[in-house]
Amino acid sequence: MLPAARRKKRKLMDNRLPEKVAAYVPESALYTQLQEYERKIDACLLQKQSEVQDALRRPHHIAKKLRLYVYNTHANQEASATSSEPPSWALVIQGKLVEPQAAGAPGQPPNPPVYQPPSQPFTHYIRRITAQLDSEQYSDGEEHVVWEKGQHVRNHKDSFEIRRRGSQDVEVVLQIEVDNQPDRYTLSASLSAVLGLKLATRTTVLHTLWAYIKTHRLQNAQQVSQVDCDAQLSAVFQAKSVKMSSLSGRINPHLRLVEPLALRYTVRVSGASPTHPDSYDIDLEVPAPTMDQATAPLLQHLNTSREVEQLDLRIMTAVRKLHEHKRRRAFFLGFSQSPVDFINALVASQGRDLRYMKGEQGVEYEAMRRSDLFKGKWVEDAVLRHLHKRLAAG
């Protein structure tokens, strides 16, 4: 038996069964198998938990539609002796963010009841607007108009206007470049056939490509950093196998930034003012509202589970009791086999523990008491010297 001072109390969190329990309880092998399954499940849950947390904390975007309205107004087009203002017109481009399911058909009035108020002004979602007027009617820089978001960061508006003097109809070519955050790309025909995407962000393309690789088991079993291309991927990458780290660079030739929306509009200086608007819908992805409040309970549930913790505590308490019963069995079994030797060993063990606690573990009193060393003639002389020193000091 081990000295009491040297015995370390087992931690409550230790849920391993004693080694000899299997000999007494053959069914304990099932518990060991369950522990192995539990370790595998915990590893899988930990991986999935990390993936869920990354997905929840990753910036999300939701699909919207940016509805454009293009129309013009005109003034002072009819000659009047009392009017001193020259004839003029104004081209107006308005935009509103609408839900895809509430977008309806283009061509409706600018303010139907189903619209929801946009979170940002129209020009917030536009990167650049270019207007090219008829060069035969306007020159000296008046025929070319460019609006760039970078020059109007703090001055966003719900509409964009071009005003000119004139009494004739004007042909205008508009190019509207949407500010996608992040940028959206048009996929090549070959890559689009593999992934089933036509327009997507670079991150979406890479995620979809990785999902395609996992679904078709194209990752090399011996070299996990290698992808063995099937017939479709070979046609895209022009290779039978590619490295995982090179996928980001290999998709570059197959991605092209979405081209600006090109529109032709005729400014009419006769008839109703404003004119009936031409409307267009543009697919757009905008950042989703903050999800901190919505995801906090889910993240908390992933991190802690009271029911699982209580079951683990019950298992560990039962295992601790098994360890205690095992020690008691060993104690009584040793006493029943040889009571005298057991008591002598127990007393000796307790004596060692007592000397260890008093700091006298280096002195062997029992050996000194039975030794013939102290039967020599030097003992009497040593005792006299000791008594003389005590009398001299006293």
Side-chain angles (χ1 to χ4, degrees):
M1 294 184 61
L2 293 176
R6 294 184 184 180
R7 298 189 198 121
K8 293 184 180 180
K9 186 177 181 180
R10 292 181 181 269
K11 296 182 179 180
L12 181 62
M13 299 301 292
D14 188 3
N15 59 356
R16 294 173 299 177
L17 291 176
E19 295 180 358
K20 294 184 178 180
V21 169
Y24 308 131
V25 186
E27 293 81 0
S28 62
L30 298 176
Y31 175 77
T32 306
Q33 294 177 6
L34 288 175
Q35 282 187 309
E36 183 64 27
Y37 293 146
E38 183 184 24
R39 280 191 290 269
K40 293 180 180 180
I41 293 175
D42 287 342
C44 183
L45 288 176
L46 185 62
Q47 179 183 357
K48 295 302 179 183
Q49 175 182 341
S50 177
E51 293 177 0
V52 170
Q53 290 177 339
D54 291 342
L56 292 176
R57 294 191 175 99
R58 190 183 304 124
H60 290 268
H61 293 77
I62 55 178
K64 297 282 187 177
K65 281 188 180 294
L66 183 63
R67 176 160 291 178
L68 302 182
Y69 297 94
V70 184
Y71 61 93
N72 73 274
T73 62
H74 55 80
N76 305 315
Q77 295 297 325
E78 296 181 359
S80 175
T82 60
S83 177
S84 60
E85 295 294 333
S88 63
W89 55 264
L91 175 63
V92 182
I93 305 174
Q94 287 184 346
K96 290 189 176 294
L97 201 65
V98 297
E99 297 289 343
Q101 62 271 18
Q108 297 179 359
N111 297 307
V114 294
Y115 284 171
Q116 296 182 0
S119 57
Q120 296 290 346
F122 161 63
T123 55
H124 174 80
Y125 304 103
I126 301 300
R127 181 176 298 173
R128 184 182 294 106
I129 298 178
T130 304
Q132 183 67 42
L133 308 183
D134 189 351
S135 59
E136 295 182 359
Q137 296 178 259
Y138 297 93
S139 59
D140 298 333
E142 290 189 348
E143 76 283 1
H144 190 70
V145 181
V146 177
W147 180 92
E148 292 186 355
K149 181 179 180 179
Q151 300 177 1
H152 304 82
V153 176
R154 298 183 180 179
N155 190 23
H156 291 298
K157 298 181 178 180
D158 289 326
S159 62
F160 174 80
E161 295 186 9
I162 301 175
R163 296 181 178 272
R164 291 290 185 271
R165 294 181 180 181
S167 58
Q168 297 180 359
D169 294 351
V170 182
E171 294 291 334
V172 183
V173 178
L174 296 173
Q175 286 192 342
I176 302 176
E177 184 177 348
V178 179
D179 187 18
N180 292 301
Q181 295 292 340
D183 290 331
R184 300 182 73 192
Y185 297 87
T186 301
L187 280 67
S188 65
S190 58
L191 186 58
S192 178
V194 175
L195 304 183
L197 300 173
K198 292 183 178 180
L199 295 176
T201 63
R202 185 182 186 86
T203 303
T204 302
V205 172
L206 287 174
H207 285 177
T208 309
L209 179 59
W210 173 237
Y212 178 88
I213 292 172
K214 289 199 299 183
T215 302
H216 293 79
R217 299 181 180 180
L218 302 180
Q219 191 173 12
N220 192 294
Q222 283 72 30
Q223 297 180 355
V224 293
S225 62
Q226 199 80 9
V227 176
D228 298 329
C229 299
D230 57 6
Q232 290 181 302
L233 276 186
S234 297
V236 174
F237 297 138
Q238 301 297 317
K240 293 184 178 180
S241 63
V242 295
K243 290 186 177 180
M244 196 78 70
S245 58
S246 68
L247 291 178
S248 179
R250 285 182 175 271
I251 65 173
N252 287 337
H254 300 275
L255 300 180
R256 186 178 70 257
L257 280 172
V258 177
E259 297 180 356
L261 177 65
L263 305 175
R264 285 186 174 273
Y265 183 80
T266 302
V267 177
R268 302 191 181 280
V269 296
S270 61
S273 178
T275 61
H276 190 277
D278 294 345
S279 55
Y280 308 88
D281 283 348
I282 302 177
D283 292 329
L284 190 67
E285 288 187 355
V286 299
T290 178
M291 300 181 64
D292 294 341
Q293 296 181 353
T295 59
L298 177 59
L299 292 177
Q300 184 178 5
H301 178 72
L302 291 174
N303 292 330
T304 59
S305 178
R306 284 187 171 273
E307 184 178 0
V308 174
E309 288 181 354
Q310 291 177 356
L311 292 175
D312 285 340
L313 184 61
R314 291 174 58 184
I315 291 175
M316 293 169 190
T317 303
V319 171
R320 185 183 63 174
K321 291 181 179 180
L322 285 176
H323 283 288
E324 183 66 25
H325 290 308
K326 176 178 176 293
R327 286 193 294 269
R328 290 182 181 181
R329 181 182 182 279
F331 181 89
F332 292 115
L333 184 62
F335 180 79
S336 64
Q337 292 175 350
S338 179
V340 175
D341 294 340
F342 181 83
I343 294 298
N344 288 336
L346 179 61
V347 171
S349 174
Q350 296 296 329
R352 287 193 298 269
D353 292 344
L354 181 61
R355 291 193 296 273
Y356 180 83
M357 295 173 62
K358 294 173 64 176
E360 300 176 353
Q361 62 273 20
V363 182
E364 297 290 342
Y365 290 99
E366 186 67 18
M368 293 173 61
R369 185 174 68 86
R370 299 180 179 182
S371 176
D372 294 335
L373 177 66
F374 298 99
K375 295 181 180 180
K377 295 182 179 180
W378 63 272
V379 176
E380 184 178 354
D381 184 59
V383 171
L384 292 175
R385 287 177 179 274
H386 176 68
L387 293 175
H388 179 71
K389 286 183 179 180
R390 293 186 62 181
L391 290 174

